[in-house]
Amino acid sequence: MSSRVPLTYGKKVLELFRNPKNLGRIEDANAEALAGSLACGDMIAIYLKIDESTEKIIDAKFESYGCAANIAAASILTEMIKGKNIQDAWKISWRDISNELGGLPPVKYHCSVLAVGSLKRAIRAYYANRSKPDWLPEELTQEEKHVIEEEKLMEILAKRIQKTEL
Amino acid sequence: MTYSDLSKSIDELIKSHGLPKREVYLDHENSGLIIPEAIKAMNEAYELSGKGHPSITHLMGWRSYQALYEATVNIASVINCSPEEIVYTHSGTEANNLAIIGSSELSPKRKKIIVSSIEHLSVIFPAEKLEKRGFKVIRIPVDGEGFVNLDFLSKHVDKETLIVSIAAINHEIGTIQDLKAIRDIVRDKDDRILIHTDACDALGRIPLDMKKLDVDLASFSSHKVYGPKGVGALYVREGIKLEPIIHGQLSTQKLWPGVENTPSIIGFSKAVEIIHRNFEENVSKMISFRDRLINGILSNIDYTLLNGPLGYKRAPDNVNISFLYCEGEALTVELSMKGVYVSSGSACTSRVLEPSHVLLAIGRKYEEAHGSLLMKVSPFHTTLEDIEYVLEVLPDAVRRIRSLSPIKPKVR
Ligand SMILES: Cc1ncc(COP(=O)(O)O)c(C=O)c1O
């Protein structure tokens, strides 16, 4: 079986695709971020409401343009971070998301990477005009780098297509 | 994941979202559904005529040879060639590979391969393989409806050209190419250049007469005419000397060794016969389903774009529409829960990060390609009720997927 790509979607992914949790915007969010692009076919917007004194995430919502796995990944991420303090939310990796979804096939890993990337962006946005905590690294994490690469790649490809037109 | 995990998860999947009240299959592009007549012919072949090895000298072998030969005569009479000009392969993919790679050593001076930029990947990938071995591959651009740029072709075809490969009908957007014009341009330059056409999606949709078309090579795939999967054929005009690309013990055909899958070939031949039996009726049936679907979608759903030409230059079975602000893979999953099975040119369905190269080649933006749905109607499987059901469930499905997105269309 090693040469076969596994079945794309399990039960959990389909359930969340059908009935996503925490869909929509938070009008008075104090942190938000967008990752991916329409051109990638993969985009997640994440909205956070953070309690300033306790640094706890009291509400989290998302919107997503992407495949079913993308929607499920964003949905489960919002469930995982609600009630957590920011530092613990920061520690969530793309693998945690994949595991929480009951496993994703390798071709869909980038969906959970995008979800984590959007969360990390939102957390950085939150601290953009506040004093940065010690645990927040200066250097971008793997997930954030991956998101930027994907966004850049699409720009390059789109330009290449325009150039080859007659 | 083990096999038992896998079957459990499919069971769970069905349980969790329930079986839909109606099932409409419009994914004949990826997998054409077989017709009962072909199954019956195959069963008979397994039980009777097709059991033996067709090139072994005993009664069982002779019977098998005869059944194989009759099946071939049948196909040959439909496409107007001789049975000796047909080589069976195990798929349309293999037929295309044989045409491109099997011709590569024909003439050491000819190192140029010309393909259209919207060919099936089973033409593009073998061409790219040869490109790595030193061949020059020219990709002819197409216009907004998928028609190849004939001036460009004319400019690039020359004495160094080995082969020109252009599909009679494009598999994704249904463009019916002007093969006669293409042939005239190529033959005018040099009549030793091979002309190949991938006719997998053309057989059963437009009349295909090998003598009139005057091409050297043409590929066919059984499941595209509602025969069994895993059978294909390459028409090789008499006198054209290809090299085999796989090697082993020969049976009845020099270009493709191994025991012929006689029962499947018989099923293929039966399917070819059936689709041509009431050819005009089948075609007009497909056209009426196609146009009802296209008109229903374009007039009822905002922000939609038809991909490919309209009218008589479009394949009778092809519907390809982009839904803006709507990711196509999510839409196929949503529709599947309503029992509507279709495919998409989105990057997400193809297991690579880039969306359909065909849609990009006709100038669609990335997001337009990601939001595309490909549907193919069948004269044997599709009904008007099916089409009406799709038109009933599609607007809600599109609305739901659009509602998830951070970027929404302006309300009109
Ligand atoms: C135009 C075209 N060429 C080739 C093929 C490949 O045929 P097969 O599926 O038999 O490998 C297909 C099938 O989808 C096709 O549509």
Side-chain angles (χ1 to χ4, degrees), chain A residues 7-20:
Chain A
L7 189 72
T8 319
Y9 294 136
K11 191 178 159 204
K12 186 80 195 168
V13 172
L14 281 174
E15 241 171 49
L16 285 175
F17 167 69
R18 261 217 140 164
N19 300 304

Side-chain angles (χ1 to χ4, degrees), chain B residues 27 32 83 97 105 109 261 263 293 325 405:
Chain B
D27 194 20
N97 272 263
E105 289 171 23
K109 283 202 298 283
N261 188 350
L293 201 49
Y325 306 99
S405 169

Side-chain angles (χ1 to χ4, degrees), chain A residues 69 72 95 102 120 126 162:
Chain A
R95 237 179 224 295
K120 290 197 189 308
Y126 178 75
Q162 279 160 12

